[in-house]
Amino acid sequence: MGKMDHSQAIVLFSGGQDSAVCLAWALSRFPYVETVGFDYGQRHKVELEVRQGFLASLKEAFPQWRERIKEDHLLDLGVLSDIGETALTEERAFAMGEDGLPTTFVPGRNLLFLTLAGSLSYRRGCRQIVTGVCETDFSGYPDCRDDTIKSLQVSMNLGMATNFVLHTPLMWLTKGETWGLARELGGETLVDLIVEETHTCYLGDREHRHDWGYGCGTCPACELRAQGWEAYQSSVQR
Ligand code: ZN
């Protein structure tokens, strides 16, 4: 690794609503921003497919960000679907499991994502790592908790002898407030882009278009996105 650059950020960008807002947040703060996504054998490839479209549209709609959006990386984490037994990678029902966590929970997924993002950041000389994990409107994922991320930052910095900063701009925001943050960062243009070009639905549905974007409208991810949109709508005069 060369000297670590304080102005370089890497954003964990899945193609979903939250990580898209994080990307705009990083662009509002750091001169150069790279992105990383993970292919972990998702039930559908939609999130991965929309990533490139969103990046291209973002560059087009925001010329001031165009030159500052740097390399996009896609890392293969197929090992997660080898371990299996989750509704995100298999045809399983979305429900609460016996452990009290949703069947969409992939144990340790965010720990792996962040650790790998750290390995990549080390190689790229990036110090700032940005992730859209969130403890509010919490889907019950323990690896999204603030304490988990803070302890992981310490572990990564000890284990790699670095001083990464893990940024979690959405940690205490509701889904409605996340839409509000998007508006703050990029106005209606960014909000519209996130509605149209990001994907959240667990089932990969791009056929049904709602006010809040595409999705089946009934899976837990769609329900959260729809509720957040409704809260956002009632909080702003558009
Ligand atoms: Zn859905």
Side-chain angles (χ1 to χ4, degrees):
M1 179 181 69
K3 197 175 180 308
M4 194 170 265
D5 188 340
H6 299 276
S7 67
Q8 290 265 40
I10 281 193
V11 177
L12 284 80
F13 176 57
S14 68
Q17 172 192 350
D18 290 347
S19 61
V21 178
C22 285
L23 176 54
W25 181 89
L27 285 161
S28 76
R29 271 160 189 78
F30 306 113
Y32 299 104
V33 178
E34 299 188 13
T35 45
V36 59
F38 301 96
D39 184 349
Y40 58 97
Q42 290 93 323
R43 246 156 76 152
H44 57 78
K45 295 280 180 201
V46 173
E47 266 200 354
L48 293 178
E49 286 163 9
V50 302
R51 291 176 82 252
Q52 293 308 321
F54 183 83
L55 285 171
S57 300
L58 193 66
K59 287 177 186 172
E60 192 166 320
F62 295 90
Q64 70 274 31
W65 290 345
R66 190 175 302 151
E67 300 303 319
R68 298 169 37 219
I69 301 174
K70 297 297 183 184
E71 284 88 339
D72 177 49
H73 311 268
L74 187 66
L75 301 181
D76 182 1
L77 257 183
V79 64
L80 274 178
S81 60
D82 293 344
I83 296 166
E85 291 193 23
T86 158
L88 284 193
T89 54
E90 293 171 14
E91 298 292 328
R92 290 164 75 97
F94 301 112
M96 291 305 275
E98 280 168 25
D99 52 7
L101 291 169
T103 53
T104 48
F105 179 58
V106 182
R109 179 177 59 157
N110 285 308
L111 304 181
L112 279 172
F113 285 2
L114 280 162
T115 304
L116 283 169
S119 302
L120 182 64
S121 299
Y122 188 98
R123 290 290 176 222
R124 307 291 303 170
C126 299
R127 183 178 178 219
Q128 319 290 342
I129 301 173
V130 185
T131 173
V133 294
C134 169
E135 205 171 300
T136 325
D137 281 347
F138 177 51
S139 300
Y141 299 142
D143 55 350
C144 291
R145 286 187 290 206
D146 194 45
D147 282 350
T148 305
I149 306 300
K150 285 191 162 78
S151 86
L152 189 59
Q153 175 178 302
V154 174
S155 296
M156 284 163 59
N157 284 333
L158 286 172
M160 298 187 213
T162 52
N163 57 351
F164 294 131
V165 183
L166 301 191
H167 298 274
T168 55
L170 311 185
M171 183 59 79
W172 306 109
L173 301 186
T174 64
K175 288 283 179 255
E177 289 167 341
T178 299
W179 285 111
L181 176 60
R183 190 173 198 246
E184 222 171 88
L185 293 166
E188 294 296 308
T189 308
L190 184 61
V191 171
D192 292 346
L193 211 64
I194 289 171
V195 166
E196 194 62 32
E197 305 221 29
T198 67
H199 188 86
T200 311
C201 174
Y202 284 147
L203 296 178
D205 185 326
R206 294 294 287 176
E207 280 170 39
H208 300 95
R209 173 65 154 80
H210 314 264
D211 290 346
W212 43 264
Y214 294 91
C216 70
T218 53
C219 76
C222 281
E223 277 177 6
L224 260 186
R225 182 157 162 155
Q227 285 163 13
W229 179 256
E230 207 171 299
Y232 167 65
Q233 288 300 318
S234 55
S235 74
V236 290
Q237 303 280 330
R238 283 166 66 95

